[in-house]
Amino acid sequence: MGVKIVDTALRDGHQSLVATRMTTEEILSCIDELDNVGYHALEVWGGATFDACIRFLNEDPWDRLRLIRSHCKKTKLQMLFRGQNILGYKHYADDVVEKFVEKSLENGIDIIRVFDALNDIRNLACAVTSTKKYGGHCQIALSYTTSPVHTVDYYVALAKEVEAMGADSLCIKDMAGVLLPEDAYELVSRLKAATSLPIELHGHCTGGICEMTYRRAIEAGVDIIDTALSPLSGGTSQPSTEAFQYALEGTAYDPKLNVAALERATAIMTKVKDRYLQSGLLNPKALTSNPSILKYQVPGGMLSNLMSQLKEQGAMDRYEEVLREIPRVRKDLGYPPLVTPLSQMVGTQAVLNVMTQERYKMVPKEITEYLHGYYGKSPAEVDPVIRHQIIGDDSVITHRPADDIPPQFEALKEKYKDLIQSDEDVLTCALFEQVAVKFLQNKYKKEPVEVININLWVGEAHV
Ligand code: CO
């Protein structure tokens, strides 16, 4: 059996390279060719794709999904799902999580990849149960990071837990692209020995080592790798699909993809990419690897956000200082993996600590919520002195955060009854309230679109 391939061009590829601005029309221009390639699955949906559709492209993400589905007769469709956060940035009630899973599957998704930023499996439970209930394939992704607590033993123990939860497959999600080749070999070997789940590897070329890491993971028996069609590969994105087909052809790992279909899809997408380069949407810098992330262990998306935030404040001279502060904040907070939303929270706190010249003098609301336990359990203990400095003697919850959230779906349906025309619309409103309301008003009542500014820092990091 060769290695299976999931192509990420239509989700992570354009999220990593062009701020998730690929349009449905562009996607549909190559979808028939992609459906002929012979992929294990196409990753087509996730938080940023959903958000960008309604915020920037004035497109209904549910329509996009249905259109992709109608063209993909042979290929499974996959989405990325942030556990109890669904596609948003906070915890939702279980009934909203369940309804979102139900509607995603109903509209065409086959495989739901669920992850939690903290690897707190209680935050995965509802999404996993719901995916099984409605007949989807549930993949659980473990957020990969490095720290004194994130050892191979830690990941093996976690993998056994998610297997017991009912996951159909397991993904190592290296959103920062910091997994080293030999570490990947050991990790995949140990996971293969400890569980019977198919193992998938998701990496990024940001640090320039991803192909080497994939190759070693393949030798260790990884079942599936995430790659992107070449025009949307490399740099901060995934390795190129075609490169892996050519590299593995004729070996025991041969993915056996249809090269002619790949060439046709690439010819179409190269024209799209050329337009992105011309318009400036694709910054050539994003296509170059940045091995310094291996030193700082900070995701590429966080580095670029950090730079733009410091530039805005005329404080680029503090860049190195902030980079040194990020690992310190992480340690204080119990080593959370730097993935949405924790990457934004840790980054913002590091900037505040440096700019105010006093650590934790200013603290974002989200950090105080994290310290109260509202995001789940931190991987290691939070520094008790820092916690006391920020939240004093406040009690910290130890139960699953969503246990405190009463059902929301029916109330949302009632609240937006004059605006919505389907349960899908209710879910759009649940996740992205003001942006969703504006979008739906425009969609159904043809009111003019209002252009809004967003703070890039609270937007999406690479996942
Ligand atoms: Co990613």
Side-chain angles (χ1 to χ4, degrees):
M1 255 298 249
V3 171
K4 293 177 180 153
I5 306 274
V6 169
D7 199 296
T8 61
L10 306 183
R11 201 285 294 175
D12 208 349
H14 73 113
Q15 179 173 338
S16 295
L17 294 176
V18 293
T20 337
R21 298 298 205 280
M22 193 190 277
T23 65
T24 301
E25 195 185 346
E26 288 165 342
I27 289 171
L28 295 181
S29 71
C30 67
I31 197 73
D32 295 319
E33 299 300 350
L34 292 178
D35 191 36
N36 283 322
V37 168
Y39 293 118
H40 174 66
L42 282 167
E43 190 191 42
V44 298
W45 233 43
T49 47
F50 198 103
D51 191 347
C53 269
I54 58 170
R55 196 184 293 268
F56 302 115
L57 302 173
N58 197 29
E59 287 186 14
D60 194 317
W62 297 97
D63 287 342
R64 172 182 293 190
L65 175 57
R66 285 186 287 266
L67 282 163
I68 295 174
R69 178 79 277 169
S70 71
H71 285 266
C72 282
K73 309 268 193 298
K74 309 168 196 166
T75 314
K76 287 182 183 143
L77 301 181
Q78 182 169 312
M79 75 176 289
L80 183 62
F81 198 105
R82 291 185 196 129
Q84 207 68 29
N85 295 353
I86 310 179
L87 306 186
Y89 307 105
K90 60 173 189 183
H91 278 61
Y92 292 91
D94 287 340
D95 66 334
V96 178
V97 174
E98 178 174 342
K99 185 62 90 177
F100 205 97
V101 167
E102 180 192 353
K103 288 291 164 187
S104 300
L105 295 170
E106 194 181 299
N107 282 283
I109 293 292
D110 300 289
I111 302 170
I112 301 190
R113 173 180 290 174
V114 190
F115 78 101
D116 176 63
L118 294 173
N119 290 322
D120 183 337
I121 63 167
R122 299 170 307 171
N123 294 336
L124 305 172
C126 181
V128 172
T129 316
S130 306
T131 305
K132 304 299 289 177
K133 179 175 171 185
Y134 295 101
H137 173 114
C138 181
Q139 178 177 80
I140 294 183
L142 308 181
S143 303
Y144 180 80
T145 189
T146 52
S147 86
V149 291
H150 291 90
T151 59
V152 174
D153 286 343
Y154 163 92
Y155 284 108
V156 168
L158 207 54
K160 286 180 180 164
E161 284 188 74
V162 306
E163 186 172 32
M165 280 177 87
D168 297 303
S169 62
L170 182 72
C171 175
I172 304 161
K173 183 175 164 56
D174 178 21
M175 54 279 169
V178 297
L179 177 58
L180 298 170
E182 294 315 306
D183 293 343
Y185 187 87
E186 189 192 351
L187 182 57
V188 172
S189 303
R190 292 274 312 276
L191 291 174
K192 288 297 287 182
T195 80
S196 56
L197 296 174
I199 313 262
E200 181 160 353
L201 180 56
H202 177 89
H204 284 260
C205 300
T206 324
I209 59 166
C210 196
E211 285 88 347
M212 288 183 269
T213 299
Y214 275 17
R215 174 70 209 193
R216 286 297 274 155
I218 289 168
E219 285 161 10
V222 84
D223 299 276
I224 311 161
I225 53 172
D226 284 7
T227 61
L229 193 71
S230 59
L232 286 160
S233 72
T236 48
S237 177
Q238 274 75 54
S240 138
T241 301
E242 297 99 300
F244 268 88
Q245 175 54 45
Y246 288 124
L248 299 174
E249 206 162 301
T251 71
Y253 311 119
D254 193 340
K256 297 208 166 78
L257 299 182
N258 178 341
V259 175
L262 276 173
E263 282 173 351
R264 289 192 295 269
T266 290
I268 297 166
M269 286 316 292
T270 298
K271 286 183 189 150
V272 173
K273 178 191 189 170
D274 288 345
R275 289 204 297 273
Y276 292 153
L277 278 165
Q278 255 173 358
S279 70
L281 188 54
L282 174 52
N283 183 338
K285 271 188 186 165
L287 296 168
T288 314
S289 66
N290 177 8
S292 69
I293 61 146
L294 302 170
K295 176 179 167 193
Y296 297 116
Q297 302 281 303
V298 169
M302 241 183 110
L303 285 180
S304 51
N305 274 335
L306 195 62
M307 270 190 248
S308 65
Q309 198 185 27
L310 290 174
K311 255 183 209 153
E312 253 174 45
Q313 300 179 22
M316 261 313 277
D317 56 324
R318 313 297 290 277
Y319 182 61
E320 289 286 329
E321 220 179 317
V322 173
L323 282 179
R324 283 195 299 275
E325 178 64 9
I326 288 172
R328 294 178 69 199
V329 172
R330 245 192 108 206
K331 182 169 186 276
D332 293 340
L333 299 181
Y335 296 108
L338 295 177
V339 61
T340 301
L342 267 306
S343 45
Q344 290 88 334
M345 289 155 60
V346 169
T348 303
Q349 187 63 62
V351 170
L352 289 171
N353 286 357
V354 167
M355 299 303 286
T356 60
Q357 298 184 324
E358 189 182 330
R359 304 189 77 226
Y360 303 106
K361 184 184 179 189
M362 278 176 72
V363 177
K365 179 172 106 314
E366 289 81 1
I367 294 279
T368 66
E369 289 168 351
Y370 172 84
L371 294 173
H372 282 99
Y374 297 151
Y375 283 81
K377 192 177 184 316
S378 56
E381 288 304 313
V382 171
D383 186 313
V385 176
I386 302 287
R387 175 161 55 214
H388 192 265
Q389 184 188 336
I390 299 170
I391 66 166
D393 293 321
D394 284 7
S395 60
V396 179
I397 66 161
T398 54
H399 55 265
R400 188 183 73 119
D403 288 344
D404 293 337
I405 309 174
Q408 295 168 323
F409 188 81
E410 291 307 322
L412 285 163
K413 201 170 182 170
E414 177 61 25
K415 180 177 174 186
Y416 295 112
K417 66 176 190 293
D418 295 334
L419 183 63
I420 52 114
Q421 296 191 6
S422 65
D423 282 357
E424 285 83 348
D425 288 345
V426 180
L427 293 166
T428 303
C429 289
L431 263 58
F432 297 98
E433 290 205 29
Q434 298 99 324
V435 180
V437 166
K438 281 187 182 129
F439 167 76
L440 290 173
Q441 278 172 344
N442 181 59
K443 180 175 178 180
Y444 294 132
K445 296 179 183 165
K446 306 291 178 201
E447 284 179 7
V449 186
E450 189 183 333
V451 177
I452 56 161
N453 289 311
I454 62 146
N455 177 357
L456 280 176
W457 185 251
V458 298
E460 190 72 25
H462 295 292
V463 290

